[in-house]
Amino acid sequence: MAIITLNNRSINRSDTASADQVWTATSATATDFQAGGALIKLQSQTASGNGYIDFTSGIDSTYKEYLFKFNNIHGEDDGTNFRLQFSTDGGSNFNVTNNFLMLQAYNTAADGGSSIGGETSDDGGGTTYVNISRNSGNENDESVNGEIKITNPSGTTFFKHFVAMMPNYNTANGSNLQIIAGYASTTSAINAVRFLFSTGDIDSGIITLYGVKT
């Protein structure tokens, strides 16, 4: 019988594979498998009436993946979109060319209407800001949450891919879920990210940046 042992560093097997293989986990932990690896907290910013929030440090060649988590991002204006844009010069300019698409599912609070499908009005390209959440409400119980992962932003060979999953309580008193996928169309290293609403300030909320240790 083949014995395959799984640990944090390698997979060892005593002989060739067979139908009655036995797997044993010796020292794996839950964080070893989260988002492809352990999450290393790099920095956190709390909004308080900010026009935008910039992350201009901590995004470098240390990790191959970076993860932003959004906790109760509350906007000043009703029916506004939460956005991002990248920088290759440390935040002096946020004008990277992006290509992206959005899928959306929603249901009203009263279960009066629901839909799932492509949101073509939020697909796009060019140097415009990328909508990662749309139609956010500004009442006290309405906010944006979720996360976005950026792959190998410091690389200088490939474009920089990103994917986001963003639930919110929207301006129509319902639940929204947006899934966004795209890429920054540059082989230059990305080293800064800006977040903002399409109109109005970020009244409150926390954005946390993690490196993904693979």
Side-chain angles (χ1 to χ4, degrees):
M1 179 176 67
I3 305 297
I4 300 177
T5 301
L6 174 65
N7 55 41
N8 280 349
R9 297 183 179 178
S10 63
I11 296 177
N12 301 315
R13 54 185 303 166
S14 58
D15 56 14
T16 57
S18 65
D20 56 352
Q21 292 174 343
V22 176
W23 292 75
T24 60
T26 59
S27 59
T29 63
T31 55
D32 292 317
F33 304 101
Q34 186 175 15
L39 298 183
I40 310 301
K41 183 178 178 179
L42 302 177
Q43 60 174 296
S44 185
Q45 297 195 48
T46 299
S48 180
N50 302 84
Y52 53 84
I53 291 180
D54 291 349
F55 285 79
T56 58
S57 64
I59 304 172
D60 51 35
S61 60
T62 304
Y63 303 101
K64 293 297 184 183
E65 292 180 344
Y66 287 84
L67 186 73
F68 287 96
K69 285 183 173 286
F70 309 95
N71 190 318
N72 289 329
I73 308 300
H74 182 78
E76 176 186 16
D77 288 354
D78 194 39
T80 186
N81 302 326
F82 193 53
R83 296 176 162 182
L84 69 77
Q85 179 55 288
F86 303 107
S87 174
T88 60
D89 55 14
S92 295
N93 297 280
F94 290 90
N95 56 2
V96 173
T97 298
N98 296 292
N99 188 287
F100 52 94
L101 59 86
M102 176 185 285
L103 302 176
Q104 176 177 252
Y106 76 87
N107 191 34
T108 63
D111 200 25
S114 62
S115 178
I116 183 169
E119 190 59 46
T120 56
S121 63
D122 288 291
D123 298 345
T127 59
T128 59
Y129 279 70
V130 179
N131 287 341
I132 57 175
S133 184
R134 67 191 309 271
N135 289 338
S136 177
N138 68 342
E139 295 182 9
N140 290 338
D141 57 353
E142 297 172 338
S143 65
V144 176
N145 294 271
E147 59 185 42
I148 182 167
K149 182 175 71 173
I150 304 168
T151 302
N152 198 22
S154 66
T156 56
T157 300
F158 302 111
F159 289 167
K160 316 306 185 294
H161 288 261
F162 57 89
V163 61
M165 182 173 290
M166 303 291 293
N168 74 39
Y169 191 87
N170 66 22
T171 186
N173 297 318
S175 176
N176 269 14
L177 172 64
Q178 284 98 27
I179 300 173
I180 300 90
Y183 59 85
S185 182
T186 179
T187 56
S188 298
I190 286 174
N191 51 24
V193 184
R194 170 171 288 180
F195 300 100
L196 76 169
F197 280 107
S198 53
T199 63
D201 291 340
I202 307 173
D203 278 347
S204 60
I206 301 172
I207 306 176
T208 305
L209 171 64
Y210 297 88
V212 182
K213 186 177 181 181
T214 56

